[in-house]
Amino acid sequence: MNRALYAAATGMAAQQQNLDVVADNLANADVIGFKNAQATFAPIGGNALLGTVETGVRPIFQQGKLEKSGGPFDVAIDGAGFFEIERAGEHAYTRAGAFARAADGTLRNADGWSLRGIVIPAGARSVSVASDGRVSVALDGLGARAAGRIQLAAFDAPERLRPLGSAIFGATHGSGRPREIAAGGDRQPKIQFGTLEKSNVSVIESMMAILAAQRAYEADSKCVQAADEMLRIVNNLHRS
Amino acid sequence: MATAMHAAKARLDVAASNLANVSTAGFRRSIARAALRGAGLVTTSVPDVAPGPLRRTGRSFDLAVAGEGAFFVRDRTGRAVAERSASFERDRRGRLVDESGRALLGERGPVVAGADATIDARGVVTVAGYDVATIVVRPGTTLQSGFLEGANVDAVHEMVEVLEAQRAFETAQKTLSAIDDERQKDVDDVGRVKQ
């Protein structure tokens, strides 16, 4: 009974963690550049009838839908790769491309991370970004001028990136070092200007996952009850 | 009767473990088998190799086999092992390896592919329109990229197992108690001299 009791308890814990991850996905379904996460599980000790254990939570870097937006500096990546962003000397990677021009000319997102390598000079009237990431600005009376090029970063194992915020990731030992890739080439990702990448969370699939997790939790709790009932019977075997 | 109670307990252990792993990708449920041997019931568990349902993950390096068939991975000792579902990642050299570090086998050794590679139903790995490798599969295998095989656990079946185990346990206990009562009677009454 005790083995069943503990195995069922690990199942309940697993479904709880599963539910946490799915709920987080749903909560972020409208966040630009958010990536659906998935909890993975493995049987304890191969399969020694000891239950299950969570082995990690991995983001799924499937392309989100690209949607036209109204922001003046909105960019999105069509293909693999990440924007390189920095804040106070720290580097991070994201696919959320909603930026705004800060007072010092850098392009920053809502959390204050700035897009690496781009400075928009003061007095710029209009900005455009080509599919290869080259940024050009139109200045008063001076015509068009280059303002840097957006570099994309790629990783050997992007699933191993560490989430730093809802759509921001940091490099880890497992993910490997970032490799710079140039956008716009024949076999390369392209940058879309005036566009944002929506989250890749499917609300319907998440709802189904919640239902399944709830039922699995219930089934595990029934096992706990059954094991408990058997223990009660055992305790009543000896009648004095 | 005590061994019957043990057998019922073993059935519950198996059902509880199966139910706990209902969300574990690729999990194979165990079946409790009871056999009458010498001193009583002996229970063993054997794995059920029936395929599980395919679950969509949306990751292009999650591979599953639809219907019959298999693909192959090479383990650390160099042996090729048939698999039906695995979640691959790119390692430092760009090879696709599963969670235990086993490399996916192509026709020209381990498959090396870029992060944006796609895999079609016949196992052809494509990067931006160019074929870069072909995965070795059993003849007639249909691969599904973006899917993993789920656990082959049927919650309804396992719940029935739980109830049956519980009832069997109770039945054994009642029988045990009845036998106990009878013995008690033997001890109390046999040999008592009637007046």
Side-chain angles (χ1 to χ4, degrees):
Chain A
M1 272 84 45
N2 277 347
R3 204 199 280 203
L5 199 61
Y6 290 124
T10 65
M12 288 169 82
Q15 293 308 335
Q16 182 76 60
Q17 284 160 331
N18 203 359
L19 211 52
D20 285 349
V21 173
V22 180
D24 188 56
N25 288 340
L26 267 182
N28 288 293
D30 284 331
V31 173
I32 296 301
F34 179 79
K35 293 298 166 193
N36 198 40
Q38 244 171 22
T40 55
F41 302 95
I44 296 174
N47 184 18
L49 304 183
L50 294 172
T52 189
V53 66
E54 194 200 66
T55 50
V57 177
R58 54 177 195 171
I60 308 283
F61 289 105
Q62 195 192 15
Q63 175 91 45
K65 221 187 228 164
L66 299 179
E67 218 176 53
K68 286 265 170 280
S69 64
F73 302 103
D74 287 351
V75 278
I77 305 167
D78 183 6
F82 296 87
F83 294 117
E84 278 194 77
I85 51 178
E86 53 193 359
R87 186 174 68 182
E90 197 185 347
H91 290 257
Y93 307 88
T94 186
R95 287 181 64 91
F99 294 99
R101 185 181 181 276
D104 60 356
T106 56
L107 291 179
R108 289 178 192 272
N109 70 7
D111 296 327
W113 292 87
S114 64
L115 189 60
R116 217 181 125 203
I118 308 294
V119 177
I120 306 293
R125 287 170 62 85
S126 73
V127 176
S128 68
V129 182
S131 69
D132 64 358
R134 284 182 211 280
V135 181
S136 54
V137 294
L139 292 174
D140 266 340
L142 289 167
R145 244 184 66 183
R149 184 174 182 186
I150 300 172
Q151 291 287 344
L152 298 180
F155 292 89
D156 287 333
E159 288 86 18
R160 300 287 180 87
L161 289 171
R162 182 168 50 101
L164 300 174
S166 58
I168 297 171
F169 299 90
T172 63
H173 184 71
S175 71
R177 287 173 184 280
R179 279 178 291 110
E180 286 215 334
I181 50 173
D186 196 20
R187 299 168 63 173
Q188 299 294 343
K190 290 169 187 56
I191 289 178
Q192 290 198 9
F193 180 57
T195 304
L196 287 174
E197 181 177 354
K198 296 177 73 179
S199 86
N200 64 353
V201 176
S202 156
V203 175
I204 297 168
E205 272 177 32
S206 302
M207 295 304 290
M208 277 164 54
I210 286 181
L211 294 180
Q214 277 177 335
R215 292 299 169 218
Y217 188 89
E218 259 182 61
D220 287 326
S221 76
K222 290 278 194 280
C223 279
V224 171
Q225 277 177 17
D228 176 57
E229 179 67 13
M230 285 190 184
L231 283 170
R232 188 188 62 77
I233 291 171
V234 168
N235 284 341
N236 288 330
L237 270 183
H238 179 77
R239 290 165 301 173
S240 50
Chain B
M1 273 307 129
T3 63
M5 288 176 84
H6 273 297
K9 169 199 172 293
R11 269 176 90 177
L12 180 69
D13 286 348
V14 170
S17 163
N18 290 345
L19 276 172
N21 281 292
V22 77
S23 298
T24 307
F27 178 77
R28 291 281 176 270
R29 67 185 282 268
S30 298
I31 308 170
R33 286 250 169 84
L36 202 54
R37 285 202 202 114
L41 279 175
V42 177
T43 311
T44 49
S45 68
V46 289
D48 180 355
V49 294
L54 294 191
R55 223 161 37 90
R56 208 182 86 84
T57 64
R59 247 187 104 243
S60 50
F61 293 152
D62 284 351
L63 269 191
V65 172
E68 291 289 304
F71 55 87
F72 297 88
V73 291
R74 182 184 284 166
D75 69 9
R76 290 197 195 287
T77 61
R79 211 157 43 96
V81 182
E83 274 292 345
R84 288 186 44 86
S85 176
S87 184
F88 293 97
E89 274 180 13
R90 296 177 68 236
D91 72 359
R92 289 283 155 77
R93 282 179 279 171
R95 297 181 310 178
L96 297 183
V97 295
D98 72 1
E99 277 151 347
S100 12
R102 302 179 301 176
L104 177 62
L105 279 177
E107 281 169 359
R108 280 166 293 164
V111 174
V112 176
D116 50 352
T118 56
I119 299 167
D120 78 0
R122 286 171 302 125
V124 179
V125 184
T126 314
V127 179
Y130 295 82
D131 293 357
V132 294
T134 305
I135 297 166
V136 179
V137 293
R138 286 221 177 104
T141 299
T142 306
L143 286 178
Q144 283 274 15
S145 150
F147 284 80
L148 281 179
E149 194 170 319
N152 64 350
V153 177
D154 173 14
V156 177
H157 179 87
E158 300 302 337
M159 282 317 296
V160 172
E161 269 298 293
V162 170
L163 292 177
E164 280 185 3
Q166 206 175 346
R167 296 298 164 232
F169 194 80
E170 280 174 20
T171 308
Q173 174 260 328
K174 292 261 159 63
T175 317
L176 191 64
S177 296
I179 294 170
D180 188 41
D181 285 349
E182 210 129 287
R183 295 256 166 91
Q184 189 71 48
K185 223 175 209 165
D186 291 350
V187 170
D188 288 351
D189 298 348
V190 173
R192 178 178 291 173
V193 181
K194 283 239 170 105
Q195 292 174 341

